[in-house]
Amino acid sequence: MKNHMGMWIFLASEMMIFGVLIFLYQVAMNQNLNEFRMASHDLHFIHGTVNTVILLTSSYFVALSDVKKNRLFLILAMILGVVFISIKGFEYYDLTQEGKFPLNFKDLSSAETLFFTYYGFLTFLHLLHVSVGILLLGAAWFLYYNPKEKNLPHNAGLYWHFVDLVWVFIYPLFYLIGRNYGK
Amino acid sequence: MKNYFDSPRGVLSWLITTDHKKIAWLYLVSITFFFIIGAFAALLMRIELFTAHGNIVSPDVYNRLFSIHGIVMIFFFLVPSIPSVLGNFLLPLMIGAKDLVYPRLNLMSWYVFMIGGLFTLWATIDGGVDTGWTFYTPYSTMFSNSHVVLAALGVFVTGFSSIMTGVNFIATIHQLRHKDMNWFKMPLFVWAMYATSIIMVLATPVLATAVLLIGLERIFGLGIFDPALGGDPLLFQHIFWFYSHPAVYIMILPAMGVVSEVLSCFSRRRVFGYKFIAYSSLAIALFGFLVWGHHMFVSGQSTFANTVFSFLSFLVAVPSAVKVFSWTATLYRAKIYLRTPMIYILGFISLFLVGGLTGLFLASLAIDLHVHDTYFVVAHFHYIMVGGAVMGFLGGIHFWWPKISGKTYNEKWGRFSAVIIILGFNLTFFPQFILGYLGMPRRYHSYPEVYEYLNQVSTVGLFLLGIGYFFPIVYLTMSLFDKKTVGANYWNAAGLEWLTESPPPHENFHELPATVPDVYDYERLPDLGGVS
Ligand code: HEM
Ligand SMILES: [Cu+2]
């Protein structure tokens, strides 16, 4: 357990960052409920869902590498991380084309602007965390057999699970809220 | 025997050190530097306020002065002061550890702190900001044409240094305690550091997010706080105060920790109600998160919210009162030694009392409506932050100076400047309560003539206060060049940190004692040492 504590405390701190953003978003959503539901339809539901599956699977691989003491699973997890980023890239690209990605808004109502602002900001921040996570997994892979580095693999794993967890909140709050409210 | 100053030596050994004791020095020098900058801004402001008609600086420059004063004093002086200097130096010594768990993280946190500081300095030199240290939207995001982004960036970056320190302290306290030291053998200063670190870790990210959003909103025109784009400016105030109220405790809790240590030593008594003091630190840390709304009574939030926040604010006063009662009980019928550290600590208790009680005035809705954004508030928070936290810091520095430097200062000068500081402080800030009550608003560079007399008293007080602050900087620095060194336990004090030489060796202890001493066992120790 020795040196995992720092990571846990750090993650508590990270949680406050995403926590406050998700809180802000929820307040905004309450004030513009219908508009947000409508705007949610403009996100790529399929992309979001596939990404959710990808991230959950990668988390599973990370856990497996810990249980089976096999660093190859880390590679699989990293590959899935890269796939996640690529899919997000496509999604961002499409939204930009449609004038719905921050910095490139075209004729949106104020509620829509707000929805896509939050979407852009939160997912981008999450994406940064995914990238850092991939680097950490890479470092863990690299140092896997180094007897001095007992902690890194486990800490990288914790971080990855956290990044996954955050996505589990982002996904319904952005992609699913409009599902039962037709367009 | 080599002490930590000598092993290793050289400038580089300071810049790449991972020794918590040297890092404490890096912080001490840096925050002193920032304090001087903040103090100069205060000086200019008070000179401006000497006469009713603003004529030294323009209103705009005045705005920039109070903003930079607030930003520097809070984020670059008070927040890091006790934790990063005294906490860094003492925490491992007090729990019998060689260093913090993450020594490299500790060094990194200083560099991050300095980078944040450089951004803020840059902003200042290049014209400053005029939003106040609170960066309220929509002014900061849409209207201000000053260096909001740079200053916000500075605050954002420094936040991470605070978080790193917090992570390091919590993990260290959990993992590196001496085998014989259970939670209830820990010095109360360590408890205070623990509670403070919890706040640093959980509240600072919220502030970082808030100022990050300000920056992005300004640069890219995002609309999170901008009503025209559907956002809500009040949200900023909520998240800002969600950090900044607890931040008040980041500033005051560590000072309270110092008080318990010093008080017990200079009254040669066991602190009364050890467990109450320990738990009340945690209670303050937790309740502190629930009261931010008392800064927003007049912001237009609902009456229901106002009432709840008012009530909760009274609750959070309870653990502070518990501490004050315990200290009073410790002093009761004790033989009190009025040495320099003790004078500061008695100063702390009385000024904190005034600040705390006037805080209750402000927590009452009806009174706050009258004095909100007047000098009453300015006086209140200076009593807490300067009267409380700065006094605690100075008291602590004087108390542990023999341990830190292996030298001692001239006691006469010490007492003299402590008394000057207390007098100067009251002369500066007490008139501001009256001014505020009479209706003088804050953040104005000129005012009606009726307020002139009290303002002049306040400005004169500042000069006295300034002199008071100047002395310790001089005599403490000079003491470093003394030939005479002190023994391990200058005050015949009880804590573990006094069992190693002064200054301690690089690894803190040559040999750890098998059991830790009872930290407040003053009844059985010899009398106070040092000079009389
Ligand atoms: C050393 C003597 C000091 C003097 C004479 C002084 C004086 C002042 C003055 C005149 C103001 C402007 C009040 C207004 O118009 O709103 C002010 C504001 C402030 N001061 Fe001080 N101050 C001192 C020390 C400190 C310290 C040590 C701290 C904190 C560690 C501090 C924190 C603040 C803050 C946060 C503000 C609010 C700035 C704002 O309105 O945005 N001050 N001070
Ligand atoms: Cu408050």
Side-chain angles (χ1 to χ4, degrees):
Chain A
M1 149 91 187
K2 194 153 170 71
N3 272 314
H4 305 145
M5 182 159 208
M7 187 48 112
W8 278 105
I9 305 168
F10 174 68
L11 290 181
S13 192
E14 289 263 52
M15 211 168 68
M16 294 302 287
I17 295 186
F18 284 102
V20 72
L21 283 169
I22 288 175
F23 168 79
L24 287 180
Y25 170 70
Q26 300 239 24
V27 173
M29 178 159 73
N30 261 338
Q31 290 167 352
N32 307 283
L33 196 50
N34 282 322
E35 295 87 337
F36 271 35
R37 281 172 178 160
M38 288 307 139
S40 160
H41 283 274
D42 296 341
L43 295 180
H44 293 258
F45 172 66
I46 305 286
H47 286 179
T49 312
V50 171
N51 259 349
T52 309
V53 175
I54 288 180
L55 221 47
L56 287 172
T57 318
S58 71
S59 241
Y60 177 66
F61 285 149
V62 168
L64 266 189
S65 93
D66 209 20
V67 176
K68 302 232 154 134
K69 304 280 169 250
N70 187 339
R71 67 175 185 164
L72 283 183
F73 286 110
L74 292 179
I75 301 262
L76 291 178
M78 278 172 0
I79 293 176
L80 288 183
V82 173
V83 175
F84 178 93
I85 293 183
S86 324
I87 294 182
K88 252 311 11 96
F90 284 122
E91 199 173 321
Y92 284 170
Y93 180 76
D94 282 353
L95 285 169
T96 313
Q97 296 299 304
E98 296 162 20
K100 284 176 180 152
F101 196 67
L103 315 189
N104 186 40
F105 287 143
K106 286 193 195 88
D107 323 313
L108 295 187
S109 73
S110 64
E112 278 177 305
T113 318
L114 199 57
F115 177 85
F116 288 108
T117 302
Y118 275 113
Y119 165 82
F121 189 59
L122 256 164
T123 55
F124 187 69
L125 201 63
H126 177 261
L127 206 63
L128 286 183
H129 280 76
V130 174
S131 323
V132 172
I134 294 177
L135 292 181
L136 280 180
L137 291 180
W141 179 85
F142 193 69
L143 295 171
Y144 204 84
Y145 297 118
N146 184 341
K148 279 200 194 137
E149 275 299 341
K150 289 216 181 60
N151 297 304
L152 187 65
H154 195 84
N155 279 339
L158 278 178
Y159 189 84
W160 193 258
H161 295 316
F162 169 79
V163 171
D164 182 29
L165 183 77
V166 170
W167 180 258
V168 170
F169 281 89
I170 293 182
Y171 172 61
L173 280 173
F174 285 96
Y175 293 85
L176 297 187
I177 51 164
R179 280 287 105 190
N180 291 323
Y181 301 85
K183 188 154 197 182
Chain B
M1 213 60 91
K2 273 192 172 178
N3 62 44
Y4 74 96
F5 288 117
D6 296 326
S7 62
R9 293 190 79 117
V11 179
L12 197 63
S13 83
W14 288 86
L15 294 179
I16 58 166
T17 181
T18 52
D19 183 340
H20 63 104
K21 301 184 282 308
K22 286 189 167 176
I23 294 172
W25 271 102
L26 293 178
Y27 272 111
L28 179 60
V29 173
S30 343
I31 66 166
T32 308
F33 170 70
F34 284 116
F35 180 79
I36 292 171
I37 294 180
F40 263 101
L43 189 69
L44 281 175
M45 279 191 286
R46 284 272 29 127
I47 293 175
E48 167 69 33
L49 294 174
F50 192 74
T51 57
H53 314 285
N55 38 22
I56 311 277
V57 296
S58 67
D60 187 44
V61 170
Y62 186 82
N63 292 348
R64 289 163 200 250
L65 281 176
F66 75 62
S67 305
I68 221 63
H69 168 71
I71 293 171
V72 166
M73 285 301 199
I74 299 243
F75 298 112
F76 295 95
F77 172 67
L78 258 200
V79 167
S81 62
I82 300 184
S84 302
V85 179
L86 293 174
N88 240 330
F89 197 96
L90 296 166
L91 190 71
L93 286 165
M94 282 182 161
I95 61 176
K98 281 189 182 149
D99 206 319
L100 296 171
V101 225
Y102 309 118
R104 274 174 294 169
L105 188 70
N106 197 18
L107 179 65
M108 188 166 138
S109 87
W110 178 74
Y111 277 102
V112 170
F113 173 75
M114 289 313 284
I115 293 171
L118 289 183
F119 281 125
T120 307
L121 281 184
W122 178 8
T124 314
I125 292 166
D126 209 22
V129 288
D130 62 357
T131 58
W133 74 282
T134 51
F135 296 106
Y136 271 8
T137 59
Y139 182 71
S140 59
T141 48
M142 294 163 67
F143 303 108
S144 167
N145 53 15
S146 59
H147 282 299
V148 180
V149 173
L150 259 183
L153 190 64
V155 172
F156 176 78
V157 172
T158 329
F160 287 94
S161 136
S162 209
I163 295 173
M164 288 178 209
T165 306
V167 171
N168 219 339
F169 282 7
I170 296 178
T172 304
I173 294 173
H174 274 271
Q175 296 179 348
L176 298 187
R177 261 175 299 135
H178 187 296
K179 282 196 194 60
D180 182 43
M181 183 176 277
N182 65 29
W183 284 86
F184 294 108
K185 282 188 183 176
M186 277 179 359
L188 288 164
F189 181 74
V190 178
W191 273 101
M193 281 301 125
Y194 188 69
T196 309
S197 305
I198 294 178
I199 307 179
M200 294 208 234
V201 169
L202 295 182
T204 318
V206 178
L207 174 80
T209 315
V211 291
L212 178 67
L213 286 172
I214 292 250
L216 293 179
E217 183 141 347
R218 231 184 125 80
I219 303 175
F220 298 120
L222 302 185
I224 296 205
F225 304 121
D226 180 357
L229 297 174
D232 181 351
L234 259 197
L235 277 181
F236 176 78
Q237 291 193 25
H238 278 292
I239 51 177
F240 180 82
W241 286 112
F242 182 82
Y243 163 82
S244 291
H245 187 82
V248 175
Y249 299 108
I250 299 184
M251 303 174 222
I252 204 75
L253 267 173
M256 291 172 150
V258 173
V259 171
S260 302
E261 304 298 319
V262 176
L263 204 66
S264 168
C265 178
F266 290 80
S267 55
R268 307 313 282 177
R269 274 285 197 82
R270 179 175 292 284
V271 268
F272 181 84
Y274 169 92
K275 279 200 181 173
F276 284 113
I277 298 191
Y279 283 134
S280 68
S281 293
L282 291 181
I284 288 176
L286 298 179
F287 288 163
F289 281 101
L290 303 178
V291 301
W292 75 91
H294 63 210
H295 296 271
M296 301 172 64
F297 286 155
V298 298
S299 69
Q301 71 183 352
S302 72
T303 311
F304 175 70
N306 277 347
T307 318
V308 172
F309 281 126
S310 174
F311 174 71
L312 289 173
S313 304
F314 278 93
L315 272 192
V316 73
V318 174
S320 303
V322 166
K323 286 189 195 269
V324 175
F325 289 135
S326 303
W327 295 328
T328 321
T330 312
L331 289 174
Y332 181 67
R333 286 200 171 159
K335 182 166 184 232
I336 295 169
Y337 292 85
L338 283 180
R339 301 286 164 72
T340 310
M342 188 63 164
I343 299 178
Y344 278 113
I345 291 319
L346 294 179
F348 172 100
I349 297 178
S350 44
L351 301 179
F352 178 72
L353 214 57
V354 177
L357 291 176
T358 52
L360 289 180
F361 290 22
L362 295 171
S364 326
L365 269 175
I367 302 182
D368 188 59
L369 291 185
H370 177 63
V371 294
H372 177 82
D373 265 346
T374 66
Y375 263 79
F376 192 89
V377 176
V378 177
H380 155 70
F381 70 66
H382 281 90
Y383 263 81
I384 298 278
M385 297 192 304
V386 189
V390 178
M391 293 300 253
F393 178 62
L394 287 171
I397 285 283
H398 282 85
F399 180 51
W400 281 291
W401 190 253
K403 177 58 56 189
I404 294 174
S405 66
K407 305 289 165 62
T408 187
Y409 47 88
N410 182 317
E411 179 66 23
K412 287 208 189 74
W413 283 112
R415 286 187 212 177
F416 172 73
S417 42
V419 171
I420 296 282
I421 288 178
I422 294 175
L423 288 180
F425 176 83
N426 280 300
L427 204 58
T428 312
F429 293 105
F430 199 81
Q432 299 184 1
F433 279 124
I434 309 173
L435 280 171
Y437 193 76
L438 294 177
M440 175 163 161
R442 67 192 280 203
R443 298 188 172 177
Y444 279 66
H445 90 306
S446 64
Y447 50 83
E449 248 156 52
V450 281
Y451 302 131
E452 195 165 56
Y453 176 66
L454 286 169
N455 268 299
Q456 290 178 341
V457 175
S458 178
T459 303
V460 171
L462 173 61
F463 279 97
L464 198 60
L465 184 60
I467 294 172
Y469 283 142
F470 184 64
F471 278 113
I473 299 184
V474 173
Y475 66 72
L476 289 181
T477 312
M478 280 180 13
S479 78
L480 292 176
F481 300 99
D482 275 1
K483 289 252 154 42
K484 222 174 82 196
T485 52
V486 300
N489 195 346
Y490 186 69
W491 307 109
N492 287 331
L496 193 54
E497 78 270 25
W498 299 100
L499 294 186
T500 185
E501 303 101 271
S502 318
H506 176 60
E507 305 236 298
N508 289 350
F509 295 89
H510 288 298
E511 206 168 338
L512 263 185
T515 56
V516 299
D518 175 351
V519 265
Y520 299 114
D521 193 15
Y522 281 101
E523 277 92 354
R524 281 195 278 128
L525 282 170
D527 222 340
L528 192 83
V531 276
S532 47

